[in-house]
Amino acid sequence: MRILRIQYLILLSSILVGCASAYKNLQPVVIDKECIYRFTPQYQNNWFTASVDVTGHHLSGLVLIKKMPDGSDRVVFTNELGISFFDFELSDSTFHVKQIIGRLNKKAVINTLRQDFELLLLKGSTAGAISSYRQQNEFYHRYSQNGKLNYVITHDECSDLIRLERGSSKKRLVQIVFKGDQQHPESIIIEHFNFNMKIVLTKIDR
Amino acid sequence: MSKYFVFLFIGLVLGRPMHSEAQQETFKPVQNSTAFKANFSAQARKVNSITSTFRQEKVLSLLEETMVSTGKFWFKRENKIRIEYEKPFQYLMILNKDEMIIKDHDKQNRMNVKSNKLFQQINRIILDCVQGSILDNPDFAISAFENTERYRLEMKPVTKGLQDFFTEIIVLVDKKDFTATELTMHEAGGDYTTIHFSNKLLNANIADSVFDLAQ
């Protein structure tokens, strides 16, 4: 009986921890507002292989992220055979779908991909107020975008990037982590927590 | 979805259509289309296997970007295909009769071609190509041209599913052996992908194990 009670408590604790706010213990700190700008990616023309798993389905392809002369970024997804699935143009204040195949041309799909790549490229991070917080040894630099909160999470106030997140004030919705230098990553992992979706981009050395 | 293109790719490759530097060549319309179709079909039936290398160039016109990839291709009658991208990324596609196998990264997917109507449509393209009857495929409006060395097939998709991806596919066929030497897939935005085939070996013995993922 006692064992059952302990197991119940462990289970309950796990549930509570699982449901706990990811940002509950953020403590405001004052940090240089320029902090996150140094992490703005400068991908000139990087090609990645892409592995996408979404709700039990798997898709692969290639992704090009290219910096344009006007400062915008283009994100192009093709399959291995070269057929373009979508082509997005992102800047700090605008977003344009340059091309997308009919099967993907759905508002929910476009918005999800848009928000993922806006977070990856830190688009819009300069548009509004940035506030900084500390939680244990991590520093969270937060700005709002499209009704959600984006977090640039660093070590030592602003020394190096740990990961990027999008969420509400309580729940973490998306996480982006890098393998290797964030400015020249070997791979980028975009993981959603509110539904089952994971994108892995792996750099192609040409 | 990517499997969709696999089928199309395979179909066209097998078909023995292809080329595009050919845009610099002069072609004239094939005069006797009936004889051409008959000859095309007859020649196709002589090919029981193909091995070749390929070089693929994906051109993003407005972005002035080109992705070049290379790999190997195998075909064996009936309905066995292996396309293996080797550089600068690894990607493997195998069609073995009704089964499609794709391996990318560490993931492996298998599916039955018959389970999907779209796949069936693409499978039809493959079969048409293998049997030399691609010229009768109802999914494309095909115009045939020729010069002394090559045929040029201009294939405009007429079904919405295919039109979603291509505005036109141009295939150049070597008159010596009726196999494809080049394939160019044009997209609406001006981007295109060209696949060049080289080092072709026809009717060599290819082990069935090549079309097994263990290879």
Side-chain angles (χ1 to χ4, degrees):
Chain A
M1 189 66 182
R2 185 179 178 189
I3 292 175
L4 284 175
R5 191 177 301 145
I6 291 172
Q7 288 178 333
Y8 170 77
L9 289 172
I10 291 173
L11 177 63
L12 182 62
S13 301
S14 301
I15 292 172
L16 289 174
V17 169
C19 295
S21 166
Y23 309 112
K24 183 181 179 181
N25 297 317
L26 293 181
Q27 299 299 316
V29 293
V30 177
I31 287 180
D32 179 7
K33 300 298 182 189
E34 303 292 318
C35 170
I36 68 171
Y37 303 154
R38 73 181 61 168
F39 300 114
T40 302
Q42 300 295 328
Y43 303 145
Q44 295 305 315
N45 59 340
N46 287 33
W47 282 92
F48 301 89
T49 61
S51 173
V52 182
D53 289 287
V54 53
T55 59
H57 299 282
H58 179 72
L59 176 68
S60 68
L62 307 177
V63 166
L64 167 67
I65 302 177
K66 177 164 182 165
K67 177 70 72 182
M68 303 303 289
D70 64 359
S72 65
D73 288 275
R74 293 285 283 272
V75 177
V76 181
F77 187 106
T78 79
N79 74 339
E80 287 80 356
L81 298 178
I83 306 304
S84 298
F85 284 5
F86 64 76
D87 178 357
F88 295 159
E89 180 187 77
L90 302 95
S91 74
D92 279 323
S93 56
T94 62
F95 171 82
H96 296 294
V97 178
K98 308 296 281 189
Q99 176 263 334
I100 192 165
I101 61 171
R103 291 159 203 273
L104 294 178
N105 193 7
K106 297 176 174 56
K107 189 175 179 180
V109 174
I110 293 173
N111 282 343
T112 298
L113 294 169
R114 170 188 177 171
Q115 290 170 10
D116 285 356
F117 286 108
E118 282 180 336
L119 177 61
L120 173 64
L121 299 170
L122 293 182
K123 292 299 181 188
S125 60
T126 60
I130 300 170
S131 51
S132 296
Y133 305 86
R134 178 174 186 164
Q135 184 166 256
Q136 298 180 329
N137 294 324
E138 296 179 341
F139 289 81
Y140 289 64
H141 312 282
R142 186 175 79 183
Y143 62 94
S144 63
Q145 189 173 46
N146 303 320
K148 295 286 189 270
L149 296 170
N150 289 346
Y151 297 86
V152 178
I153 302 169
T154 67
H155 279 128
D156 303 328
E157 297 190 351
C158 201
S159 63
D160 59 297
L161 185 74
I162 300 173
R163 63 186 179 276
L164 305 171
E165 291 183 4
R166 185 171 71 250
S168 64
S169 59
K170 295 181 179 178
K171 282 188 174 180
R172 182 177 58 171
L173 301 175
V174 178
Q175 170 181 278
I176 300 178
V177 297
F178 302 86
K179 288 187 178 176
D181 175 13
Q182 176 238 353
Q183 291 290 346
H184 306 91
E186 290 302 312
S187 63
I188 300 168
I189 302 166
I190 304 172
E191 190 168 9
H192 287 248
F193 298 103
N194 52 340
F195 66 101
N196 188 7
M197 179 174 172
K198 186 175 183 179
I199 302 171
V200 178
L201 305 178
T202 303
K203 184 183 175 186
I204 297 175
D205 291 316
R206 292 191 285 167
Chain B
M1 195 176 317
S2 60
K3 293 99 183 179
Y4 174 84
F5 296 107
V6 173
F7 283 117
L8 185 58
F9 176 93
I10 290 167
L12 292 169
V13 170
L14 268 191
R16 53 226 50 267
M18 330 215 165
H19 174 114
S20 89
E21 291 156 5
Q23 287 164 356
Q24 297 168 357
E25 300 179 41
T26 301
F27 288 86
K28 62 182 181 181
V30 170
Q31 294 299 313
N32 189 336
S33 60
T34 303
F36 170 66
K37 284 182 181 180
N39 192 31
F40 195 91
S41 177
Q43 294 296 330
R45 284 196 293 269
K46 295 179 180 177
V47 178
N48 289 309
S49 74
I50 302 173
T51 62
S52 80
T53 57
F54 68 85
R55 172 187 168 90
Q56 177 177 305
E57 296 175 10
K58 163 69 175 178
V59 178
L60 300 167
S61 303
L62 295 177
L63 296 181
E64 297 179 340
E65 276 290 325
T66 301
M67 166 57 82
V68 177
S69 51
T70 57
K72 293 177 182 170
F73 171 83
W74 294 261
F75 157 68
K76 183 177 182 179
R77 198 177 291 270
E78 296 283 338
N79 286 354
K80 293 187 175 72
I81 300 285
R82 180 185 177 110
I83 304 171
E84 187 166 4
Y85 287 79
E86 296 179 321
K87 294 179 179 177
F89 55 87
Q90 287 77 49
Y91 184 74
L92 174 63
M93 302 174 287
I94 294 173
L95 175 65
N96 194 332
K97 297 183 178 176
D98 291 332
E99 185 178 46
M100 171 63 84
I101 308 169
I102 291 182
K103 184 178 181 184
D104 66 276
H105 298 87
D106 296 326
K107 305 258 181 177
Q108 174 184 324
N109 283 309
R110 290 175 182 264
M111 78 210 69
N112 190 318
V113 175
K114 291 182 176 177
S115 65
N116 184 300
K117 187 177 180 183
L118 186 59
F119 287 175
Q120 287 181 350
Q121 183 186 24
I122 303 304
N123 199 35
R124 163 76 192 276
I125 296 175
I126 298 171
L127 290 172
D128 282 347
C129 290
V130 173
Q131 295 165 6
S133 53
I134 186 65
L135 295 171
D136 295 320
N137 191 302
D139 294 330
F140 293 94
I142 303 176
S143 301
F145 303 85
E146 66 178 330
N147 61 21
T148 54
E149 297 180 347
R150 281 189 264 247
Y151 290 110
R152 174 185 170 99
L153 304 181
E154 298 182 355
M155 307 169 59
K156 294 184 184 297
V158 295
T159 57
K160 192 173 183 308
L162 295 174
Q163 287 173 337
D164 199 17
F165 302 109
F166 311 108
T167 56
E168 186 176 40
I169 298 173
I170 296 176
V171 180
L172 291 194
V173 180
D174 191 331
K175 279 190 168 181
K176 290 196 296 289
D177 56 16
F178 276 69
T179 63
T181 57
E182 185 176 303
L183 156 70
T184 301
M185 299 174 283
H186 291 273
E187 300 172 54
D191 297 345
Y192 61 92
T193 301
T194 299
I195 305 170
H196 308 261
F197 296 91
S198 55
N199 302 315
K200 279 182 291 186
L201 182 60
L202 305 185
N203 295 326
N205 185 34
I206 304 176
D208 283 341
S209 58
V210 168
F211 306 96
D212 188 315
L213 197 57
Q215 289 298 309

